[in-house]
């Protein structure tokens, strides 16, 4: 772990086999789904601003608003200057099954499904290849070797550049890596979501697999901008998330206020110090920031200028200890699909 860092824009590797990318990636999900209404024009402007700032990795899922997010990214890439478009790398999750009402109905990791999902994603994104492709959650009915093997065939055919994983445990990571080279594991990782540290992170480091960390602000909970009286739009994931409910919410916001004191002493925002903490966990970790506006993007990019020394990190750990959060990070039904709590 880094204990004394001067933040730069130095690229970070997605494992030993993946590409080198800007130290922050842009998670685009919230521009289409799960956090209420989003402004399409502002979303595209935010993607353009991210590319202009040097961001290279754009993360999405083919099931985010049933393809809407991929089409949004495709539109943003088409309208970006050629040089910026060429620097963009797409990271795509697949496999989640949904119905016309938006309900979730499991995961499909069969090889024929992998090829089908990829064909649609290539069309919606308007690209000839996907840079990192991964199943969103393990399909319990399909061995990971079969799913990864199907992606490996897409790599051989030129439709995919690198194979990723998402929210799987240590044993699955080992089995996948024995099947084909794995660039990175996508996993929720933040000050209040640290389950990856126990078993998963040691395995990724042993095998030379990078980590793209999502939820670094815990869906806005530890951004410093969420208030207990905030009204959530219909369909907002947070209305069902245990960490945003009742006493859990107030407990977690108390942690944020403790973190705010440290941020204010350093002259930075709560979001910036929370992102900087994830950056400090290792050069093999690339945080994904879910900025939906240029204002929030600018704030997030400011985390690259935040230097945390040993005393800062100790103060942060004291303010927000591991396992300090109240409530699980997903509702019970979804927790069952995760490789670590």
């Amino acid at each position: 772990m880094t204990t004394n860092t001067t933040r730069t824009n130095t690229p970070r590797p997605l494992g030993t086999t993946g590409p080198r990318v800007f130290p922050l990636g842009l998670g685009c999900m919230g521009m289409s789904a799960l956090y209420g209404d989003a402004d399409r024009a502002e979303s595209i402007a935010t993607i353009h601003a991210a590319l202009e700032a040097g961001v290279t990795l754009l993360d999405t899922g083919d099931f985010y608003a049933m393809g809407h997010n991929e089409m949004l990214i495709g539109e943003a890439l088409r309208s970006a200057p050629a040089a910026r478009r060429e620097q963009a790398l797409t990271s795509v999750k697949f496999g989640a099954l949904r119905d016309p009402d938006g309900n979730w109905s499991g995961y499909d990791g069969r090889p024929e499904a992998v090829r089908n999902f990829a064909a649609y994603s290539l069309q919606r994104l308007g690209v000839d290849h996907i840079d990192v492709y991964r199943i969103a959650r393990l399909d319990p009915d399909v061995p990971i070797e079969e799913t990864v093997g199907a992606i490996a065939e897409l790599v051989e055919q030129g439709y995919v550049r690198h194979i990723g994983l998402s929210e799987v445990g240590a044993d699955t990571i080992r089995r996948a890596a024995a099947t084909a080279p794995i660039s990175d594991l996508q996993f929720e990782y933040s000050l209040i979501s640290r389950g990856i540290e126990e078993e998963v992170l040691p395995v990724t480091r042993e095998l030379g697999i990078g980590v793209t960390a999502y939820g670094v602000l815990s869906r806005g909970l530890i951004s410093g901008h969420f208030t207990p009286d905030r009204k959530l739009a219909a369909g907002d994931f947070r209305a069902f998330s245990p960490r945003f409910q009742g006493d859990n919410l107030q407990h977690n916001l108390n942690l944020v206020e403790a973190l705010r004191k440290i941020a204010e002493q350093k002259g930075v925002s709560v979001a910036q110090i929370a992102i900087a903490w994830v950056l400090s966990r290792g050069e093999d970790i690339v945080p994904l920031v879910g900025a939906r506006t240029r204002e929030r993007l600018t704030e997030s990019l400011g985390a690259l200028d935040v230097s945390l020394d040993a005393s800062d990190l100790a103060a942060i750990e004291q303010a927000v200890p591991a396992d300090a959060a109240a409530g699980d990070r997903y509702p019970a039904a979804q927790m069952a699909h995760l490789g670590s709590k």
Side-chain angles (χ1 to χ4, degrees), residues 14 23 30 41 43 48 66 78 80 86 90 112 128-129 138 142 156-157 201 215 312:
L14 288 189
S43 295
H48 287 170
M66 281 67 83
R78 286 192 300 274
E86 291 168 4
T90 53
E112 55 267 40
D128 60 10
H129 70 271
L138 182 67
V142 179
E156 293 175 0
Q157 295 166 355
L201 193 54
D312 293 324

Side-chain angles (χ1 to χ4, degrees), residues 251-319:
H251 170 89
N252 294 330
L253 290 179
N254 288 341
L255 297 176
V256 175
E257 291 311 305
L259 186 62
R260 192 186 304 276
K261 294 177 181 178
I262 301 171
E264 289 176 347
Q265 290 172 357
K266 292 189 68 67
V268 302
S269 73
V270 175
Q272 287 169 340
I273 204 166
I275 297 169
W277 182 87
V278 179
L279 282 162
S280 79
R281 307 312 283 178
E283 296 297 319
D284 56 340
I285 297 172
V286 176
L288 300 173
V289 296
R292 301 199 297 167
T293 67
R294 285 168 286 181
E295 179 183 6
R296 291 288 182 255
L297 174 67
T298 298
E299 180 184 24
S300 295
L301 290 171
L304 295 168
D305 303 318
V306 178
S307 178
L308 300 178
D309 60 23
S311 62
D312 293 324
L313 291 169
I316 292 170
E317 291 281 350
Q318 184 174 4

Side-chain angles (χ1 to χ4, degrees), residues 188 193 237 240-244 248 252 325-332 335 341:
E188 184 169 357
S193 298
F237 167 85
F240 309 98
S241 171
R243 290 185 174 174
F244 289 82
N248 288 351
N252 294 330
D328 288 333
R329 55 193 180 102
Y330 284 97
M335 288 296 293
K341 308 308 179 192

Side-chain angles (χ1 to χ4, degrees), residues 32-115:
S32 298
L34 298 182
Y35 296 145
D37 294 336
D39 184 313
R40 186 181 190 87
E42 180 61 24
S43 295
I44 292 174
T46 300
I47 294 172
H48 287 170
L51 294 173
E52 186 64 31
V55 172
T56 49
L57 192 65
L58 303 179
D59 183 77
T60 185
D62 64 8
F63 49 90
Y64 292 163
M66 281 67 83
H68 177 279
N69 202 235
E70 288 182 317
M71 290 188 288
L72 180 76
I73 292 172
E75 182 179 346
L77 291 177
R78 286 192 300 274
S79 55
R84 300 306 179 195
R85 181 169 61 250
E86 291 168 4
Q87 81 189 31
L89 303 176
T90 53
S91 169
V92 179
K93 291 178 291 297
F94 68 88
L97 303 176
R98 306 188 70 177
D99 66 22
D101 293 324
N103 299 312
W104 305 84
S105 54
Y107 299 91
D108 192 345
R110 296 171 302 140
E112 55 267 40
V114 174
R115 292 187 286 270

Side-chain angles (χ1 to χ4, degrees), residues 170-182:
D171 178 64
T172 300
I173 295 169
R174 290 188 184 281
R175 289 168 53 196
T179 303
I182 305 298

